[in-house]
Structure formats: structure tokens, C-alpha cells
Amino acid sequence: MKIGKITSVNFNQFRVKISSEIRGNSVNVAGVLYYFGNIGSYLKTTNSVGEQLISEVVSIFDSDTRLDSAAYDIDSNRELLLKPVGTITRTGKFNLGVGIFPGIYSEVAIVTFEDMELILQTKKDKGLSECIHQSFHLGESKNLINYPIDISINSFFNIHSAVLGNSGSGKSNTIAHIIQEIHKKKNNSAIGSRILIFDVNGEYKNAFTGHDKCPNLKVRLLKPNITGAEDGFEPFYLPHFLMNIDEWSAFLMATDATQRPFWDKVLQESYKFYMISTRGGVERQKFINYLRFKVCNLVHMLLGQGDTDTAIVTAAKNVIYGISELIDLDEHLKQACVDEGMHDDLHKLYNNCAVAYGNNNDKLKQAVDAVRKKIDYGNVQEVISLRANSEQYFDYRFLKQAANLTLLEEDARGNRRVREYTSTMMTRLDFFLDNQDCDFMRNRPAGTINIDQYLEWLWQTNLAVPAQTNMVIIDTSELSKDALETLTSVTSRLNFSSRKKLNGSERREKPIHLVLDEAHRYIKKDSKYLLRENIFEQIAREGRKYALYLLISSQRPSELSETVLSQCSNFIVHRIQNEIDMKYVYAILPYFSDDFANKIKQSVPGEALIFGNCVSMPLHVRVKQAHPEPNSENCKVHKEWFKPFPPLPPVLRRDE
């Protein structure tokens, strides 16, 4: 329906005079009421080649300059100022931007719901089965009143996306609503979906407990550092042996120059201690043989360093005693050393650490030579060349022994300041071994010894389809900053490593979506971030190839990694009022304008500007309320403050 004509054409705006026949701010077209007289509504016109130009109303005014009452009459010269948005080609395809502008006096018409379907490309792909769902309902348009906004599932979920906004602007509700919309679809339900939420504030359990979902879908609630089922949660584990050297170095705050090589050696020695403690037969003999070689090598180095026999014997005695103490800390390790004669060798060496009148008379050297004769150097080289990879299981209790053995070895080499250089790292190791915040890292799911078994436990892929997990929510609300960064990074890296092993079409099967709540807490752009190599930046760059996608939620985009945010192709931006955050968003997004900034600032909670691959043009949307809602509602202070005075407790009378 025509509502007026263009009276002025500029490169970035059109001026339209409303027909005097149009009364009010709305028209009825085929029984549907369309509003055109509000800021943000859409109108269309046609250029000389038959293309339809879609424009947005940015200003409404009355051009009648008379000051008498006639200026406010309904037959006055009402005008609109339009901003061109995009073009519908003659083939029915919508593109952002305008090539050929309309001529003056071109007619302006209402944009109908049918036009919006064409613009937003929400019509179903006829080539797909009717049972395959192709879109989800996000909310209602703020621009075109009462128009429902449906988003293409493929366009939104096949690339990285970001939900940004101040605290309380509706980010958690938006994420919860989107996933609820996916879960409630029946007939070919989303049994192929796998969504992992890092729930930093402990609010998503409420949204996904008892929500409307297909019975074939399963939501699993996990929480670190609990000993058993608790309030609907199962214990979450992140076994220490699945961490690589980078993650260990970050957690222990190890420097690259000295501490990282030291810790790499500690991990290898821990694995060897574990093998001695748990293996039997020839395999155990090989590792005992290696330990015997290490002891002899240490004492031999001391023999060549000391100036006097007293100094040599004293240093050797300390080393031998220290190694004996390390072995005695674990009963299985001690028994293995007793069975293989290692315990007796240490005892003999220790007994020969004696001096008479300042001389040892080569007793220690002879004792070392006697022990050396038992060493099979071929087996030693085999054990030395054996390096445990980052998913090789070992008992964390051997870390302390291995660290102390490595310190003793450095002492024997004359590196007297090694304990000073590694003091911070050793303190962090004690934190890992003793602090309750790291319980989830010291334990493991029953029988898990590698990445594949761990991910099988996480997603329960070994079970039949109804029992497999489609969404995992990890409540990290009670973790410290360091533990949070480690949990999110390592868990994401394990899933990424698993996806990278896939070949061919397998890469595109069973996609995984990581929902990163409060992402600014562990995807930082500054040097204070624990992990020097941010795994999320790698996933942002390469994850799409392996069907591993990020959905980022943050109230501080200015603190996020620029690499991660720049790789996002879909944005749902709620209210942001901080100028630093607004400038940051403005700088990294390719077609951000001042109009968008104003809409973001003026949005009320629940409203958002959405743009990117999932929509053909930016849309101001009122997002539908999630049901049930996440546990993120604001405190009603007035109700909590002002309450009826409670009745006084009964006064107890004393017996007279």
C-alpha cells in the first residue's frame, strides 16, 4: 500500500511526504495492521531498474511552518526522513546497501510481513526434509511492531557468535531462550546437538531443570569439588594427567626460561615413579634400573665436585638420604625398591658416606662402582627415551617426589640457586596437592586414563541415544580465578584436540558448541592471563573447520581477546552504556554505525540489536522471555528492606 512520495534524495537519506489521504500512523493491509509512523519502522520504494529499496524511518516531522492551529491538523504536511538499508533485487534476493537510488517523486509503500520473510530469508529450504527444523524464534521486532523474528539455525550456529551487554541487560535470558527453543522442537529432535556451558554465576541450572524439551534430549549438571550427587549436580572431574606442559606451566606460574624445563622433567620423573610403583616383572625392573642409574650418576657428580672428602661425603649423604625419604613416602614404591634390591643399594651407599680423620678412603666411590655393575645401560637408554605424553596417566602423589628428586639432581650439578628460582612454582604445587579448590583436578572418572575415555564420560557417548548427553552445564561459580581459567581452558582444549583428529566428513558430524558465560574472566587480551597461548583464540581461528563453535557472553567486551571477538560473525548486543566498551565494539565490527550505538544505549533489559550472518540486516529485537528463567533476577530491595515487624517471642516466666 502506498503511503506517500519521495520529495528529496540524498546519498544517505530520503525525504518522504505522507499522502493527505493517510490518517494516523498505521494502515490496514489485507486485514493486517502495519505501523509506519514510528522511529525504526520500515518502508520501501522502487528505483529505475525495478529493484525495491528498503529504508528505515529515522525522523518524523511536520513541514508546515505556520504557527496557527492549522499546523497541527491531520491534513498538515507530515514528512518522514528515511535511511536506506538494503535492496531487494528483481530475483528476490536481499542485499545490504543501495546501488541505484530512487528518483524524486517515487512512491513509498509499506513493508509487509511477506517482504520481511524475503528480507530475513526465513522461508524454508524446500530441498530439506520437512522434519528438519530450520529456524528458531528469537522474539519480536522493535522496528516492525508485532512482527516475529525467526533466526536460521544453520546461520546462527555454524559460526562463532557473541552476546554482549551490561549486567542485567538480558544476556543470560537470551542464551537460555535460544537453547530452550532448540530443545522444545519435536519430531526429529536435536539429539545430534552437544552444548557445553561454563556457568560462571550458577544461573543456568534453573533455566534447564523442568523446561519444555523433547524427552529424547538429556541435560547433565556437573559441579567441581563435590564428593557425590548434590542438589541435582554430579561431580565434575578434570584429571591432572590430561593437562599439557603449557597448562601446567600456566597453573604453576612457571617462567619459560628456567621453570618450564624444570617442570617438564618433573612430569617425566613422576610418570617413572608411577611405573615403578604399579608395574611388575621385567617392566618394573627397567624403571628400577633407571632409578639406580640416577642415584649413581648423582653421587658420581658429587665425587667430582667437592674439594675435600668431608664436603663430598656430606653432600652425598644428604642426596642419598633425600632419595630414600622420597621412596619411603609411598608404600608401593618402597616395596618395589625393596623387592628389586634398590633399598639395599641406597643403604650401602649411605653407610659408606663416612670419614675418618677427614678421609673417606674411596669407600663411597667403591660402593658406587659396585652398584653401577648392576645397571643395564641399554635399558637405561630405553627408559630415558621413553617420554610420557600429556594424556599418559600417572598418580599426582608422585609429583612431590619427582620435584624433590629433580631439585636434588640440580643441587648435585652445582646449581645452588635452583630452589630460589623454583620457590613460587613449588608453592603452587603445594596449593595443587593440598587445596580443596583443586580436588576436581586430583580425581578422575572411574577407569579414565586418556582423552577419548574422558570425553566419552563427559558426553556419555557410550550409552544409547536417549541416555547420551546433549547439553552439559558446568557450575564454576565457587571456583577461584586460577582454577576457573584452568578448567575452562583445559576442557575446551580437550574437545578441540579430539575434533582435530577427525578426517573428511567426520569433521562436520556431531558439532560441539561452547557457551562461555562471563567470558571476559578467562578470555582476556592482557598479559595477566595465565595461559600464554589462549586456546580460545585458536578455537576462534580454526574451530569452524572442525565443527567446534563458540558462543561468547560478556558484559565487558573491552576486556575480551580481540582475536576471539573479531572472529565472531553473529552479534546480539544488549544495552551497553560504558563508553570504553562501546568504542571497542564500534572499532572491531565492520559495519557498525552511530545509529546502532544509539539503539544499544537506549535498549531496555530484554531488548537487543542483532546483526551478522544470521540476519540479512541489523534488527532491533525484543527477545522472548525464557521459561523457566535463569537464576539472574535482580534483588527487589524495597521488598527485602520493608517488612512487617515479626511477632515477639513469648516471654518465659521464672519459676517462683
Side-chain angles (χ1 to χ4, degrees):
M1 181 176 179
K2 315 300 182 190
I3 58 103
K5 292 187 177 182
I6 294 177
T7 58
S8 173
V9 178
N10 203 338
F11 76 96
N12 63 347
Q13 61 184 21
F14 310 147
R15 191 166 182 167
V16 176
K17 182 176 180 180
I18 303 297
S19 173
S20 59
E21 298 176 357
I22 302 296
R23 299 177 180 272
N25 297 320
S26 61
V27 294
N28 190 307
V29 179
V32 180
L33 194 63
Y34 293 95
Y35 296 87
F36 67 88
N38 60 300
I39 300 295
S41 58
Y42 296 119
L43 295 172
K44 65 181 178 181
T45 186
T46 306
N47 62 18
S48 58
V49 295
E51 297 173 330
Q52 293 184 332
L53 310 183
I54 306 301
S55 303
E56 181 182 346
V57 177
V58 296
S59 180
I60 306 171
F61 55 94
D62 190 334
S63 62
D64 195 332
T65 58
R66 290 178 298 170
L67 300 178
D68 55 25
S69 60
Y72 302 95
D73 189 83
I74 59 173
D75 290 328
S76 62
N77 296 322
R78 292 183 298 156
E79 293 192 69
L80 304 176
L81 208 58
L82 307 183
K83 179 187 71 174
V85 175
T87 305
I88 299 178
T89 65
R90 284 176 294 180
T91 59
K93 183 179 180 181
F94 177 81
N95 298 311
L96 277 176
V98 174
I100 301 175
F101 284 73
I104 197 170
Y105 303 129
S106 297
E107 293 184 330
V108 176
I110 292 292
V111 171
T112 65
F113 287 176
E114 289 75 16
D115 293 327
M116 288 300 294
E117 285 187 3
L118 190 63
I119 293 170
L120 299 179
Q121 301 172 5
T122 55
K123 292 185 177 180
K124 291 186 176 181
D125 185 346
K126 295 180 180 179
L128 294 176
S129 166
E130 288 295 325
C131 294
I132 296 179
H133 304 284
Q134 300 180 43
S135 64
F136 65 88
H137 177 62
L138 181 63
E140 292 187 349
S141 171
K142 283 277 293 178
N143 301 37
L144 198 59
I145 296 176
N146 297 329
Y147 183 77
I149 299 298
D150 291 340
I151 303 297
S152 166
I153 292 175
N154 193 53
S155 297
F156 185 82
F157 284 102
N158 76 344
I159 199 66
H160 309 306
S161 303
V163 181
L164 309 174
N166 290 157
S167 177
S169 61
K171 302 184 300 298
S172 300
N173 175 79
T174 296
I175 292 174
H177 166 69
I178 290 173
I179 299 176
Q180 286 175 357
E181 282 290 308
I182 299 299
H183 279 189
K184 73 180 184 181
K185 293 184 180 296
K186 309 297 192 298
N187 301 326
N188 278 27
S189 56
I191 58 174
S193 64
R194 288 193 291 176
I195 301 172
L196 174 59
I197 299 180
F198 296 115
D199 188 4
V200 174
N201 295 316
E203 56 190 8
Y204 285 100
K205 175 197 170 188
N206 194 65
F208 296 102
T209 301
H211 69 297
D212 180 18
K213 69 177 181 68
C214 178
N216 292 331
L217 300 178
K218 181 180 178 181
V219 177
R220 192 178 186 195
L221 305 176
L222 301 177
K223 190 173 185 178
N225 300 331
I226 59 176
T227 56
E230 182 180 300
D231 194 25
F233 288 98
E234 302 173 52
F236 172 78
Y237 306 109
L238 185 62
H240 60 279
F241 59 88
L242 296 181
M243 295 169 60
N244 60 30
I245 184 64
D246 294 322
E247 291 154 353
W248 270 114
S249 298
F251 181 76
L252 298 174
M253 299 182 179
T255 59
D256 288 336
T258 57
Q259 297 177 357
R260 181 186 170 99
F262 176 89
W263 186 253
D264 184 42
K265 188 180 295 184
V266 169
L267 291 177
Q268 298 304 321
E269 297 300 331
S270 297
Y271 173 70
K272 294 178 176 67
F273 273 127
Y274 170 72
M275 295 296 285
I276 294 173
S277 175
T278 58
R279 296 300 188 266
V282 175
E283 191 173 9
R284 184 174 73 177
Q285 290 174 1
K286 286 183 180 180
F287 285 95
I288 290 287
N289 183 67
Y290 167 79
L291 182 58
R292 186 177 284 117
F293 165 78
K294 293 280 287 188
V295 172
C296 291
N297 204 36
L298 287 174
V299 177
H300 182 74
M301 283 191 292
L302 293 173
L303 288 171
Q305 289 179 359
D307 295 330
T308 64
D309 281 5
T310 301
I312 293 172
V313 166
T314 301
K317 196 171 186 178
N318 289 334
V319 169
I320 296 168
Y321 178 79
I323 294 174
S324 299
E325 286 289 299
L326 295 178
I327 292 173
D328 290 346
L329 287 175
D330 184 81
E331 189 63 33
H332 297 291
L333 181 62
K334 179 181 178 181
Q335 189 60 51
C337 289
V338 169
D339 294 342
E340 299 297 336
M342 183 66 200
H343 197 273
D344 289 339
D345 291 340
L346 288 171
H347 187 66
K348 291 176 182 177
L349 290 173
Y350 187 82
N351 287 339
N352 282 282
C353 290
V355 292
Y357 302 104
N359 293 314
N360 180 255
N361 297 319
D362 287 339
K363 291 182 180 180
L364 181 58
K365 182 178 181 301
Q366 293 171 7
V368 171
D369 291 340
V371 175
R372 277 185 179 277
K373 292 178 180 179
K374 299 181 181 181
I375 298 174
D376 183 337
Y377 285 93
N379 286 340
V380 169
Q381 191 57 46
E382 180 182 342
V383 174
I384 290 175
S385 61
L386 176 65
R387 288 186 56 84
N389 56 40
S390 60
E391 61 175 275
Q392 194 76 47
Y393 175 75
F394 66 90
D395 195 320
Y396 71 90
R397 291 174 296 178
F398 293 112
L399 287 171
K400 192 71 173 180
Q401 285 105 313
N404 286 326
L405 176 63
T406 307
L407 286 172
L408 290 172
E409 188 174 359
E410 293 298 321
D411 285 338
R413 288 176 175 173
N415 188 358
R416 303 302 180 189
R417 301 189 65 184
V418 65
R419 295 182 185 273
E420 176 187 343
Y421 293 148
T422 59
S423 59
T424 300
M425 187 176 65
M426 295 301 290
T427 301
R428 293 285 297 174
L429 176 59
D430 289 336
F431 174 80
F432 166 76
L433 294 173
D434 303 328
N435 197 288
Q436 288 185 342
D437 211 26
C438 299
D439 277 348
F440 73 98
M441 298 167 64
R442 295 193 295 265
N443 294 298
R444 58 172 174 151
T448 300
I449 59 173
N450 55 45
I451 292 179
D452 292 337
Q453 290 177 346
Y454 175 74
L455 294 178
E456 186 178 273
W457 166 81
L458 182 66
W459 296 107
Q460 297 181 317
T461 52
N462 59 322
L463 303 178
V465 169
Q468 287 184 4
T469 300
N470 300 102
M471 184 166 73
V472 175
I473 300 176
I474 304 176
D475 185 341
T476 62
S477 58
E478 298 179 10
L479 289 183
S480 65
K481 172 179 174 291
D482 297 347
L484 172 64
E485 290 187 11
T486 302
L487 183 150
T488 54
S489 299
V490 178
T491 306
S492 301
R493 196 263 304 166
L494 294 177
N495 280 279
F496 185 46
S497 298
S498 176
R499 299 295 303 179
K500 290 180 72 174
K501 296 176 183 177
L502 302 177
N503 298 311
S505 62
E506 289 183 339
R507 289 183 175 185
R508 294 177 289 278
E509 297 173 359
K510 300 179 180 179
I512 297 176
H513 291 80
L514 304 179
V515 180
L516 311 179
D517 185 36
E518 302 292 353
H520 54 276
R521 293 180 58 180
Y522 45 92
I523 310 182
K524 301 180 181 180
K525 65 177 181 180
D526 58 33
S527 58
K528 295 179 182 178
Y529 182 69
L530 281 180
L531 288 175
R532 293 156 185 80
E533 177 63 29
N534 191 328
I535 183 61
F536 297 107
E537 292 186 354
Q538 188 178 0
I539 294 175
R541 293 190 299 264
E542 306 172 22
R544 179 193 59 81
K545 305 171 187 176
Y546 305 100
L548 180 64
Y549 306 105
L550 303 178
L551 176 54
I552 299 165
S553 173
S554 176
Q555 56 184 275
R556 292 306 310 271
S558 61
E559 296 180 5
L560 283 172
S561 163
E562 295 179 6
T563 300
V564 173
L565 201 55
S566 65
Q567 293 299 314
C568 293
S569 296
N570 294 314
F571 293 88
I572 300 178
V573 186
H574 290 269
R575 183 184 68 238
I576 295 179
Q577 295 176 321
N578 186 295
E579 285 299 325
I580 297 176
D581 291 325
M582 284 299 302
K583 289 179 181 178
Y584 186 75
V585 174
Y586 186 93
I588 65 170
L589 302 181
Y591 50 86
F592 206 70
S593 71
D594 292 335
D595 292 335
F596 294 169
N598 292 331
K599 288 182 180 180
I600 290 172
K601 290 180 179 180
Q602 295 169 3
S603 294
V604 300
E607 295 179 356
L609 186 72
I610 177 170
F611 49 94
N613 285 3
C614 62
V615 289
S616 52
M617 68 178 183
L619 296 173
H620 201 194
V621 179
R622 183 185 297 106
V623 180
K624 186 178 178 181
Q625 188 69 39
H627 181 74
E629 304 175 28
N631 188 22
S632 57
E633 186 178 357
N634 291 333
C635 170
K636 294 180 172 57
V637 177
H638 62 294
K639 289 186 177 181
E640 295 301 317
W641 277 6
F642 304 104
K643 297 182 178 182
F645 195 80
L648 294 175
V651 178
L652 298 177
R653 295 182 179 180
R654 293 182 179 178
D655 293 333
E656 297 182 357

